[in-house]
């Protein structure tokens, strides 16, 4: 049954439900499997990843419910405690309160959160809404999925992944605030569908195209080496297959380059469409950002140049 208080329903990064005249609830849920070996770090990364959808809407997370699935024969209480310790510490950094949760027997270890926050009715940033003339920025480099896949394949050590782990542990709260201050027209976070998949969600069935400059897109060190050695997550290939007819690549644009752009990111950065004159907000701030393209009139396609 339709409810007029539902401002944003399924299909965006999070749902939004009007609570008072100008204040709404923003809610999401996300669960991931381990991307690092250390359970404490995994718990903290999972929290950062789960909170990201709230920040991607321009909201402020307040409370969380933990969701845990694990095979009890493989993981004892000490591992579970460490995951929860890591989660609680990261929630404390974000000023979010854990108020409960649920665990189930599962064949694979999984952990995540259901998160509730608040958002101003007139400050909601949706996935769609980019305007021709906007510039596109991202706030974290690409390649997280490829490098964590390399870790699972023992092609790289966890010590060599320190930069990647720090990225996955970096909250998107300050980037979200900067987007709001810059009067962003649209925003999403880059996670399982990769840069191109989430960019496509921003333009599909719209009257705009995204023109992305490959040379301007930041890529983490060693990512291309890993792809050259045959290391890429299955999700990157699946994303690329889905997007083949929706993205225009330059002639002789290698599959390796395409896979970087479709690489699934765990706790990736934000993809933001802002007026060009608002770039000064990011330039004056302290968060990393990268201008990767422009918004043009079009028919809902992605162009890579």
């Amino acid at each position: 049954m339709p409810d007029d208080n539902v401002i944003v329903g399924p299909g965006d990064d999070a749902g939004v439900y009007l609570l008072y005249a100008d204040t709404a609830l923003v809610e999401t849920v996300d669960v991931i499997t381990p991307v690092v070996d250390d359970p404490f770090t995994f718990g903290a990364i999972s929290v950062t990843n789960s909170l990201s959808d709230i920040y991607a809407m321009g909201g402020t997370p307040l409370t969380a419910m933990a969701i845990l699935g694990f095979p009890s024969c493989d993981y004892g209480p000490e591992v579970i405690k460490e995951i929860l310790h890591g989660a609680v510490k990261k929630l404390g950094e974000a000023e979010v309160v854990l108020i409960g949760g649920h665990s189930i027997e599962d064949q694979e270890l999984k952990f995540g959160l259901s998160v509730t926050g608040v958002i101003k009715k007139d400050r909601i940033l949706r996935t769609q809404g980019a305007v021709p003339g906007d510039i596109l920025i991202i706030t974290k480099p690409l390649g997280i999925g490829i490098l964590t896949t390399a870790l699972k394949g023992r092609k790289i050590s966890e010590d060599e992944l320190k930069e990647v782990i720090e990225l996955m542990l970096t909250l998107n709260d300050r980037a979200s605030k900067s987007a709001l201050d810059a009067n962003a027209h649209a925003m999403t976070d880059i996670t399982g569908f990769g840069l191109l998949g989430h960019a496509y969600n921003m333009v599909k069935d719209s009257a705009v195209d995204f023109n992305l400059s490959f040379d301007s897109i930041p890529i983490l060190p060693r990512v291309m080496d890993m792809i050259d050695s045959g290391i890429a997550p299955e999700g990157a290939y699946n994303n690329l297959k889905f997007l083949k007819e929706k993205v225009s690549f330059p002639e002789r644009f290698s599959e390796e380059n395409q896979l970087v752009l479709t690489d699934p990111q765990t706790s990736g950065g934000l993809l933001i469409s802002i007026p060009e004159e608002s770039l000064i907000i990011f330039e004056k701030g302290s968060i990393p950002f990268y201008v990767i393209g422009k918004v043009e009139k079009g028919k809902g396609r992605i162009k890579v140049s």
Side-chain angles (χ1 to χ4, degrees), residues 51-71:
L51 296 180
S52 185
D53 283 339
I54 301 292
Y55 296 131
M57 301 294 292
T60 301
L62 297 177
T63 64
M65 302 281 282
I67 304 166
L68 173 67
F70 68 103

Side-chain angles (χ1 to χ4, degrees), residues 177-179 181-183 277-286:
K177 183 180 183 305
S178 293
D181 290 344
N183 297 312
E277 62 269 20
S278 295
L279 184 61
I280 191 171
I281 298 295
F282 284 87
E283 292 172 337
K284 288 183 174 181
S286 59

Side-chain angles (χ1 to χ4, degrees), residues 210-252:
F210 282 4
N211 194 332
L212 306 180
S213 169
F214 182 76
D215 289 340
S216 300
I217 295 171
I219 300 170
L220 288 161
R222 300 199 63 183
V223 167
M224 300 311 298
D225 292 340
M226 291 297 108
I227 297 179
D228 288 341
S229 66
I231 300 293
E234 183 179 357
Y237 289 97
N238 292 338
N239 289 338
L240 183 57
K241 183 179 179 181
F242 173 76
L243 292 163
K244 274 287 190 182
E245 304 303 317
K246 303 169 178 65
V247 180
S248 300
F249 295 109
E251 285 189 42
R252 295 182 292 277

Side-chain angles (χ1 to χ4, degrees), residues 33-54:
T33 56
V35 289
V36 293
D37 295 329
D38 178 61
F40 183 94
T41 305
F42 168 56
I45 289 171
S46 184
V47 165
T48 310
N49 183 72
S50 295
L51 296 180
S52 185
D53 283 339
I54 301 292

Side-chain angles (χ1 to χ4, degrees), residues 13 127-130 136-138 142 186-206 208-212 217 242-243 246-247 261-262 269-273 292 294-295 300-304:
D13 289 313
T127 299
Q128 295 203 323
L136 298 167
I137 64 174
I138 60 176
L142 303 184
M187 182 163 68
T188 191
D189 59 339
I190 305 168
T191 52
F193 298 131
L195 170 62
L196 291 185
H198 289 284
Y200 178 68
N201 282 340
M202 295 179 76
V203 302
K204 66 180 179 181
D205 302 322
S206 76
V208 299
D209 291 341
F210 282 4
N211 194 332
L212 306 180
I217 295 171
F242 173 76
L243 292 163
K246 303 169 178 65
V247 180
L261 300 181
T262 58
L270 299 178
L271 171 59
I272 313 167
S273 178
I292 65 165
K294 288 193 172 184
V295 182
R301 289 186 59 83
I302 307 293
K303 302 174 184 177
V304 179

Side-chain angles (χ1 to χ4, degrees), residues 101-112:
H102 185 67
S103 64
I104 59 171
E105 181 79 18
D106 203 340
Q107 294 181 351
E108 186 178 23
L109 178 62
K110 301 179 180 73
F111 183 70

